[in-house]
Amino acid sequence: QQRRLAAQRGGAETDEETVAVLAQVDDEVARIQSRRQRAHFAEEGRQRRCPVRPERQRPRQRPGETALHGEGLEEVLARGLRLPRYDGLKLGLPARVRLLREWSRQRPDLVHVATEGPLGWTAVTAANKLRIPVSSDFHTNFDHYSGHYGMGWLRQPVAAYLRRFHNRSAVTFVPTAALAAQLSAQGYRSVEVISRGVDTALYSPARRDEALRHAWGVPAGGLAVISVGRLAPEKNLALALRAFAAIRRLRPDARMILVGDGPQRAALARAHPDAVFVGMRHGEDLAAHYASADLFLFPSLTETFGNVTLEAMASGVCPVAYDYAAAAEVIRDLGNGASVACGDEEGFIARAVQMAGADALRAELARAARHSAEAIDWERVNDHFAAALLRVWRVGSGLPVELSEPRPEEA
């Protein structure tokens, strides 16, 4: 493999250690996952004696932000355009000329694109022009979002753009089998399932904090109901708040805590002055917010996965969600949480009220949720992802695929 790689790069075979270069193009949304994957690839490279040197291209999110170097990563910050109604998030602008120049000078072995905007499009274009194998992640149902912003007429054009975008890569990775089937039926040509994991050391019931519950205004023995995610129309927060209003009629000691920020925050805060809005939280602080809650409500129907479901379950919090995306993969109704048929709003409210009023059942489901999350291991997920990327590189480089390496869905 090392000899073939050296020959493909136009270099002579030497005794020097071969370095595989993985270029990732992404946005801020994919940042946490890619950091975990980089660490995994670095360890894999050490074991295979073929170090992996990841390079990362992403849009600059804040003025004065500097690129990361070291820790096994070389990062390049691209120009970004602020998304309307999302002041904290920028979309990468086209960078075809720069990418062609940089990748011609220092050619990566594989390009993985995890952002579907202009930066991602030009990355796929540059990789194809240079005949570098390229893979992509389907991250966001942007076509589903259009109806929530009064632009339903854009749904079909956006769906067509996404299909064309991903069909220009060798393979599109998705997090669930249901999404893979849906995209295949829509004309996506090569779709593979790479699931998601959860950090069960970070997200843990051990982080429950009574002082935090007191700061929320939850009395002793009271019920803390939590929602985590962007405060935006596509998250269907109106249903979560309707469910909480029904809970409050049964449990006057309940408080609603909303973690996150977004374009709806001001309007929601005015309409629901009794709710607790805590803004964006990260790391151990976010983990403490999860673990200090008693019930997690997640009524979104626009997710590609919904990592927050796994994070709540790992934190030992009983989830209530639609039978969709991550919840469809991991929640067993009344086994380790509560799941409701997609779109059944009254059913969602009824389940939320049931969980709020049944302390013993809710505690039992919370323990089972934690147990389920412990089996969803990031190492196994990243093994699958690394094997899939290696297969894309081999096929794109004209090398045989090793039969000993299973496809992700077969592992």
Side-chain angles (χ1 to χ4, degrees), residues 301-326:
L301 281 170
T302 59
E303 305 301 309
T304 54
F305 189 73
N307 293 45
V308 291
T309 301
L310 292 185
E311 292 165 0
M313 294 174 71
S315 301
V317 181
C318 176
V320 179
Y322 279 132
D323 186 21
Y324 173 78

PDB file of all heavy atoms in Angstrom, residues 301-326:
ATOM      1  N   LEU A 301     -39.056  17.217  13.633  1.00  0.00           N
ATOM      2  CA  LEU A 301     -39.266  16.299  12.517  1.00  0.00           C
ATOM      3  C   LEU A 301     -38.402  16.675  11.318  1.00  0.00           C
ATOM      4  O   LEU A 301     -38.719  16.313  10.184  1.00  0.00           O
ATOM      5  CB  LEU A 301     -40.742  16.284  12.111  1.00  0.00           C
ATOM      6  CG  LEU A 301     -41.676  15.451  12.998  1.00  0.00           C
ATOM      7  CD1 LEU A 301     -43.127  15.714  12.659  1.00  0.00           C
ATOM      8  CD2 LEU A 301     -41.356  13.962  12.863  1.00  0.00           C
ATOM      9  N   THR A 302     -37.322  17.407  11.557  1.00  0.00           N
ATOM     10  CA  THR A 302     -36.455  17.839  10.454  1.00  0.00           C
ATOM     11  C   THR A 302     -35.009  17.372  10.642  1.00  0.00           C
ATOM     12  O   THR A 302     -34.109  17.865   9.964  1.00  0.00           O
ATOM     13  CB  THR A 302     -36.469  19.376  10.326  1.00  0.00           C
ATOM     14  OG1 THR A 302     -36.019  19.957  11.561  1.00  0.00           O
ATOM     15  CG2 THR A 302     -37.856  19.883   9.986  1.00  0.00           C
ATOM     16  N   GLU A 303     -34.763  16.425  11.544  1.00  0.00           N
ATOM     17  CA  GLU A 303     -33.404  16.013  11.850  1.00  0.00           C
ATOM     18  C   GLU A 303     -32.889  14.993  10.836  1.00  0.00           C
ATOM     19  O   GLU A 303     -33.648  14.177  10.314  1.00  0.00           O
ATOM     20  CB  GLU A 303     -33.339  15.374  13.242  1.00  0.00           C
ATOM     21  CG  GLU A 303     -33.878  16.249  14.357  1.00  0.00           C
ATOM     22  CD  GLU A 303     -33.146  17.560  14.465  1.00  0.00           C
ATOM     23  OE1 GLU A 303     -31.900  17.563  14.524  1.00  0.00           O
ATOM     24  OE2 GLU A 303     -33.824  18.604  14.486  1.00  0.00           O
ATOM     25  N   THR A 304     -31.575  15.031  10.598  1.00  0.00           N
ATOM     26  CA  THR A 304     -30.944  13.893   9.933  1.00  0.00           C
ATOM     27  C   THR A 304     -30.599  12.828  10.965  1.00  0.00           C
ATOM     28  O   THR A 304     -30.570  11.634  10.660  1.00  0.00           O
ATOM     29  CB  THR A 304     -29.669  14.312   9.183  1.00  0.00           C
ATOM     30  OG1 THR A 304     -28.794  14.992  10.095  1.00  0.00           O
ATOM     31  CG2 THR A 304     -30.017  15.224   8.028  1.00  0.00           C
ATOM     32  N   PHE A 305     -30.328  13.258  12.189  1.00  0.00           N
ATOM     33  CA  PHE A 305     -30.078  12.305  13.270  1.00  0.00           C
ATOM     34  C   PHE A 305     -30.663  12.808  14.587  1.00  0.00           C
ATOM     35  O   PHE A 305     -31.616  12.257  15.085  1.00  0.00           O
ATOM     36  CB  PHE A 305     -28.579  12.022  13.415  1.00  0.00           C
ATOM     37  CG  PHE A 305     -28.295  10.895  14.375  1.00  0.00           C
ATOM     38  CD1 PHE A 305     -28.565   9.582  14.009  1.00  0.00           C
ATOM     39  CD2 PHE A 305     -27.766  11.137  15.637  1.00  0.00           C
ATOM     40  CE1 PHE A 305     -28.322   8.532  14.895  1.00  0.00           C
ATOM     41  CE2 PHE A 305     -27.517  10.096  16.518  1.00  0.00           C
ATOM     42  CZ  PHE A 305     -27.792   8.792  16.141  1.00  0.00           C
ATOM     43  N   GLY A 306     -30.101  13.856  15.142  1.00  0.00           N
ATOM     44  CA  GLY A 306     -30.557  14.356  16.435  1.00  0.00           C
ATOM     45  C   GLY A 306     -29.694  13.828  17.563  1.00  0.00           C
ATOM     46  O   GLY A 306     -30.152  13.041  18.398  1.00  0.00           O
ATOM     47  N   ASN A 307     -28.430  14.273  17.596  1.00  0.00           N
ATOM     48  CA  ASN A 307     -27.501  13.820  18.642  1.00  0.00           C
ATOM     49  C   ASN A 307     -28.023  14.086  20.044  1.00  0.00           C
ATOM     50  O   ASN A 307     -27.672  13.372  20.984  1.00  0.00           O
ATOM     51  CB  ASN A 307     -26.149  14.532  18.475  1.00  0.00           C
ATOM     52  CG  ASN A 307     -25.431  14.132  17.219  1.00  0.00           C
ATOM     53  OD1 ASN A 307     -26.025  14.053  16.140  1.00  0.00           O
ATOM     54  ND2 ASN A 307     -24.138  13.884  17.337  1.00  0.00           N
ATOM     55  N   VAL A 308     -28.850  15.120  20.199  1.00  0.00           N
ATOM     56  CA  VAL A 308     -29.328  15.479  21.532  1.00  0.00           C
ATOM     57  C   VAL A 308     -30.105  14.338  22.175  1.00  0.00           C
ATOM     58  O   VAL A 308     -30.117  14.208  23.406  1.00  0.00           O
ATOM     59  CB  VAL A 308     -30.191  16.765  21.478  1.00  0.00           C
ATOM     60  CG1 VAL A 308     -29.329  17.968  21.135  1.00  0.00           C
ATOM     61  CG2 VAL A 308     -31.344  16.625  20.510  1.00  0.00           C
ATOM     62  N   THR A 309     -30.746  13.504  21.366  1.00  0.00           N
ATOM     63  CA  THR A 309     -31.473  12.364  21.925  1.00  0.00           C
ATOM     64  C   THR A 309     -30.521  11.422  22.640  1.00  0.00           C
ATOM     65  O   THR A 309     -30.769  10.997  23.783  1.00  0.00           O
ATOM     66  CB  THR A 309     -32.230  11.611  20.816  1.00  0.00           C
ATOM     67  OG1 THR A 309     -33.147  12.502  20.190  1.00  0.00           O
ATOM     68  CG2 THR A 309     -32.995  10.431  21.385  1.00  0.00           C
ATOM     69  N   LEU A 310     -29.398  11.085  21.987  1.00  0.00           N
ATOM     70  CA  LEU A 310     -28.406  10.214  22.615  1.00  0.00           C
ATOM     71  C   LEU A 310     -27.785  10.868  23.844  1.00  0.00           C
ATOM     72  O   LEU A 310     -27.522  10.205  24.855  1.00  0.00           O
ATOM     73  CB  LEU A 310     -27.312   9.855  21.627  1.00  0.00           C
ATOM     74  CG  LEU A 310     -27.673   8.954  20.448  1.00  0.00           C
ATOM     75  CD1 LEU A 310     -26.421   8.607  19.655  1.00  0.00           C
ATOM     76  CD2 LEU A 310     -28.359   7.687  20.915  1.00  0.00           C
ATOM     77  N   GLU A 311     -27.540  12.177  23.766  1.00  0.00           N
ATOM     78  CA  GLU A 311     -26.923  12.872  24.896  1.00  0.00           C
ATOM     79  C   GLU A 311     -27.836  12.861  26.113  1.00  0.00           C
ATOM     80  O   GLU A 311     -27.385  12.671  27.246  1.00  0.00           O
ATOM     81  CB  GLU A 311     -26.560  14.297  24.475  1.00  0.00           C
ATOM     82  CG  GLU A 311     -25.433  14.331  23.458  1.00  0.00           C
ATOM     83  CD  GLU A 311     -25.287  15.665  22.743  1.00  0.00           C
ATOM     84  OE1 GLU A 311     -26.074  16.596  23.029  1.00  0.00           O
ATOM     85  OE2 GLU A 311     -24.384  15.779  21.880  1.00  0.00           O
ATOM     86  N   ALA A 312     -29.141  13.058  25.893  1.00  0.00           N
ATOM     87  CA  ALA A 312     -30.086  13.010  27.004  1.00  0.00           C
ATOM     88  C   ALA A 312     -30.146  11.613  27.603  1.00  0.00           C
ATOM     89  O   ALA A 312     -30.137  11.443  28.837  1.00  0.00           O
ATOM     90  CB  ALA A 312     -31.469  13.445  26.526  1.00  0.00           C
ATOM     91  N   MET A 313     -30.200  10.598  26.738  1.00  0.00           N
ATOM     92  CA  MET A 313     -30.263   9.223  27.228  1.00  0.00           C
ATOM     93  C   MET A 313     -29.008   8.863  28.018  1.00  0.00           C
ATOM     94  O   MET A 313     -29.090   8.251  29.083  1.00  0.00           O
ATOM     95  CB  MET A 313     -30.467   8.269  26.062  1.00  0.00           C
ATOM     96  CG  MET A 313     -31.813   8.423  25.372  1.00  0.00           C
ATOM     97  SD  MET A 313     -31.983   7.395  23.885  1.00  0.00           S
ATOM     98  CE  MET A 313     -32.089   5.733  24.625  1.00  0.00           C
ATOM     99  N   ALA A 314     -27.839   9.252  27.511  1.00  0.00           N
ATOM    100  CA  ALA A 314     -26.591   8.974  28.221  1.00  0.00           C
ATOM    101  C   ALA A 314     -26.560   9.675  29.580  1.00  0.00           C
ATOM    102  O   ALA A 314     -25.936   9.184  30.525  1.00  0.00           O
ATOM    103  CB  ALA A 314     -25.399   9.422  27.378  1.00  0.00           C
ATOM    104  N   SER A 315     -27.255  10.804  29.675  1.00  0.00           N
ATOM    105  CA  SER A 315     -27.295  11.577  30.917  1.00  0.00           C
ATOM    106  C   SER A 315     -28.292  11.016  31.918  1.00  0.00           C
ATOM    107  O   SER A 315     -28.440  11.559  33.019  1.00  0.00           O
ATOM    108  CB  SER A 315     -27.641  13.035  30.603  1.00  0.00           C
ATOM    109  OG  SER A 315     -26.687  13.599  29.719  1.00  0.00           O
ATOM    110  N   GLY A 316     -28.980   9.934  31.540  1.00  0.00           N
ATOM    111  CA  GLY A 316     -29.944   9.325  32.444  1.00  0.00           C
ATOM    112  C   GLY A 316     -31.228  10.109  32.549  1.00  0.00           C
ATOM    113  O   GLY A 316     -31.832  10.208  33.628  1.00  0.00           O
ATOM    114  N   VAL A 317     -31.676  10.678  31.409  1.00  0.00           N
ATOM    115  CA  VAL A 317     -32.910  11.461  31.369  1.00  0.00           C
ATOM    116  C   VAL A 317     -33.887  10.756  30.432  1.00  0.00           C
ATOM    117  O   VAL A 317     -33.520  10.383  29.309  1.00  0.00           O
ATOM    118  CB  VAL A 317     -32.650  12.901  30.879  1.00  0.00           C
ATOM    119  CG1 VAL A 317     -33.944  13.715  30.872  1.00  0.00           C
ATOM    120  CG2 VAL A 317     -31.601  13.569  31.762  1.00  0.00           C
ATOM    121  N   CYS A 318     -35.114  10.584  30.863  1.00  0.00           N
ATOM    122  CA  CYS A 318     -36.128   9.917  30.053  1.00  0.00           C
ATOM    123  C   CYS A 318     -36.495  10.796  28.859  1.00  0.00           C
ATOM    124  O   CYS A 318     -36.905  11.939  29.031  1.00  0.00           O
ATOM    125  CB  CYS A 318     -37.368   9.643  30.911  1.00  0.00           C
ATOM    126  SG  CYS A 318     -38.739   8.917  29.987  1.00  0.00           S
ATOM    127  N   PRO A 319     -36.365  10.284  27.626  1.00  0.00           N
ATOM    128  CA  PRO A 319     -36.706  11.083  26.447  1.00  0.00           C
ATOM    129  C   PRO A 319     -38.133  10.838  25.973  1.00  0.00           C
ATOM    130  O   PRO A 319     -38.657   9.728  26.080  1.00  0.00           O
ATOM    131  CB  PRO A 319     -35.713  10.570  25.395  1.00  0.00           C
ATOM    132  CG  PRO A 319     -35.549   9.112  25.748  1.00  0.00           C
ATOM    133  CD  PRO A 319     -35.711   9.002  27.249  1.00  0.00           C
ATOM    134  N   VAL A 320     -38.740  11.889  25.426  1.00  0.00           N
ATOM    135  CA  VAL A 320     -40.004  11.778  24.690  1.00  0.00           C
ATOM    136  C   VAL A 320     -39.736  12.374  23.314  1.00  0.00           C
ATOM    137  O   VAL A 320     -39.369  13.545  23.204  1.00  0.00           O
ATOM    138  CB  VAL A 320     -41.148  12.531  25.379  1.00  0.00           C
ATOM    139  CG1 VAL A 320     -42.439  12.401  24.566  1.00  0.00           C
ATOM    140  CG2 VAL A 320     -41.366  12.015  26.802  1.00  0.00           C
ATOM    141  N   ALA A 321     -39.901  11.561  22.273  1.00  0.00           N
ATOM    142  CA  ALA A 321     -39.562  12.018  20.925  1.00  0.00           C
ATOM    143  C   ALA A 321     -40.439  11.302  19.912  1.00  0.00           C
ATOM    144  O   ALA A 321     -41.040  10.261  20.204  1.00  0.00           O
ATOM    145  CB  ALA A 321     -38.084  11.745  20.622  1.00  0.00           C
ATOM    146  N   TYR A 322     -40.499  11.868  18.724  1.00  0.00           N
ATOM    147  CA  TYR A 322     -41.164  11.177  17.630  1.00  0.00           C
ATOM    148  C   TYR A 322     -40.315   9.977  17.192  1.00  0.00           C
ATOM    149  O   TYR A 322     -39.084   9.983  17.333  1.00  0.00           O
ATOM    150  CB  TYR A 322     -41.367  12.123  16.444  1.00  0.00           C
ATOM    151  CG  TYR A 322     -42.556  13.043  16.569  1.00  0.00           C
ATOM    152  CD1 TYR A 322     -42.434  14.409  16.316  1.00  0.00           C
ATOM    153  CD2 TYR A 322     -43.808  12.551  16.918  1.00  0.00           C
ATOM    154  CE1 TYR A 322     -43.529  15.264  16.407  1.00  0.00           C
ATOM    155  CE2 TYR A 322     -44.912  13.398  17.017  1.00  0.00           C
ATOM    156  CZ  TYR A 322     -44.767  14.744  16.766  1.00  0.00           C
ATOM    157  OH  TYR A 322     -45.848  15.581  16.852  1.00  0.00           O
ATOM    158  N   ASP A 323     -40.972   8.981  16.650  1.00  0.00           N
ATOM    159  CA  ASP A 323     -40.310   7.770  16.157  1.00  0.00           C
ATOM    160  C   ASP A 323     -39.628   8.096  14.828  1.00  0.00           C
ATOM    161  O   ASP A 323     -40.090   7.708  13.749  1.00  0.00           O
ATOM    162  CB  ASP A 323     -41.345   6.651  15.991  1.00  0.00           C
ATOM    163  CG  ASP A 323     -40.709   5.325  15.632  1.00  0.00           C
ATOM    164  OD1 ASP A 323     -39.502   5.161  15.904  1.00  0.00           O
ATOM    165  OD2 ASP A 323     -41.400   4.467  15.064  1.00  0.00           O
ATOM    166  N   TYR A 324     -38.510   8.804  14.931  1.00  0.00           N
ATOM    167  CA  TYR A 324     -37.901   9.436  13.756  1.00  0.00           C
ATOM    168  C   TYR A 324     -36.427   9.656  14.047  1.00  0.00           C
ATOM    169  O   TYR A 324     -36.034   9.912  15.186  1.00  0.00           O
ATOM    170  CB  TYR A 324     -38.620  10.764  13.497  1.00  0.00           C
ATOM    171  CG  TYR A 324     -38.028  11.641  12.430  1.00  0.00           C
ATOM    172  CD1 TYR A 324     -38.239  11.361  11.081  1.00  0.00           C
ATOM    173  CD2 TYR A 324     -37.276  12.763  12.757  1.00  0.00           C
ATOM    174  CE1 TYR A 324     -37.706  12.174  10.096  1.00  0.00           C
ATOM    175  CE2 TYR A 324     -36.739  13.579  11.777  1.00  0.00           C
ATOM    176  CZ  TYR A 324     -36.956  13.279  10.443  1.00  0.00           C
ATOM    177  OH  TYR A 324     -36.428  14.069   9.478  1.00  0.00           O
ATOM    178  N   ALA A 325     -35.586   9.541  13.020  1.00  0.00           N
ATOM    179  CA  ALA A 325     -34.145   9.809  13.116  1.00  0.00           C
ATOM    180  C   ALA A 325     -33.531   8.987  14.256  1.00  0.00           C
ATOM    181  O   ALA A 325     -33.792   7.787  14.363  1.00  0.00           O
ATOM    182  CB  ALA A 325     -33.896  11.306  13.279  1.00  0.00           C
ATOM    183  N   ALA A 326     -32.748   9.618  15.135  1.00  0.00           N
ATOM    184  CA  ALA A 326     -32.072   8.869  16.189  1.00  0.00           C
ATOM    185  C   ALA A 326     -33.045   8.120  17.079  1.00  0.00           C
ATOM    186  O   ALA A 326     -32.792   6.983  17.489  1.00  0.00           O
ATOM    187  CB  ALA A 326     -31.216   9.812  17.033  1.00  0.00           C
TER     188      ALA A 326
END
